[in-house]
Amino acid sequence: LALTSSDAARLQRACDLEPTPPPRPAPIALPEGTTKVIIEVGANIMFTIRPEVHDENTTVIQVEPLQQLVCMIPPHPRLIVIPAAISGGAARIADFNIYHIQGSASSLA
């Protein structure tokens, strides 16, 4: 395979470019009038922070990795549920463990 001088120049320009950063995640759209946000990690269903116990300007973001629990969290206009697990450190793949008979406790360990 032979490259022409224009092919070589085009490839060199492509190699000189800075790497493209990964796309940024979409921002979370907060309900209108939100002035305070509470983030609850590992929301579960038993001890969940509910928006109605706060003033009308508070939005609660709950992060819960267990899909069977996400489906049981009652909806509310000032509640955003994110079905995800959170781990410290660099992005990586980790074992996700579910504990207890009802599967209401979990760990990324």
Side-chain angles (χ1 to χ4, degrees):
L1 178 67
L3 292 176
T4 65
S5 59
S6 62
D7 290 334
R10 189 177 78 247
L11 288 172
Q12 183 60 46
R13 282 192 306 275
C15 293
D16 290 341
L17 295 175
E18 291 292 321
T20 304
R24 296 181 123 192
I28 295 173
L30 297 173
E32 189 173 328
T34 297
T35 58
K36 292 182 273 185
V37 175
I38 297 172
I39 300 174
E40 182 182 17
V41 178
N44 207 310
I45 56 171
M46 303 292 280
F47 305 102
T48 300
I49 298 172
R50 298 295 301 158
E52 58 268 18
V53 301
H54 300 282
D55 63 70
E56 62 188 28
N57 298 319
T58 300
T59 295
V60 177
I61 298 174
Q62 295 177 337
V63 181
E64 173 54 58
L66 299 175
Q67 187 61 41
Q68 65 268 31
L69 298 182
V70 168
C71 297
M72 296 172 71
I73 297 173
H76 189 280
R78 289 181 286 114
L79 172 66
I80 299 168
V81 179
I82 300 174
I86 296 176
S87 175
R92 59 186 165 89
I93 296 175
D95 290 332
F96 185 78
N97 302 294
I98 300 175
Y99 301 101
H100 302 292
I101 294 171
Q102 287 90 11
S104 62
S106 58
S107 171
L108 274 176

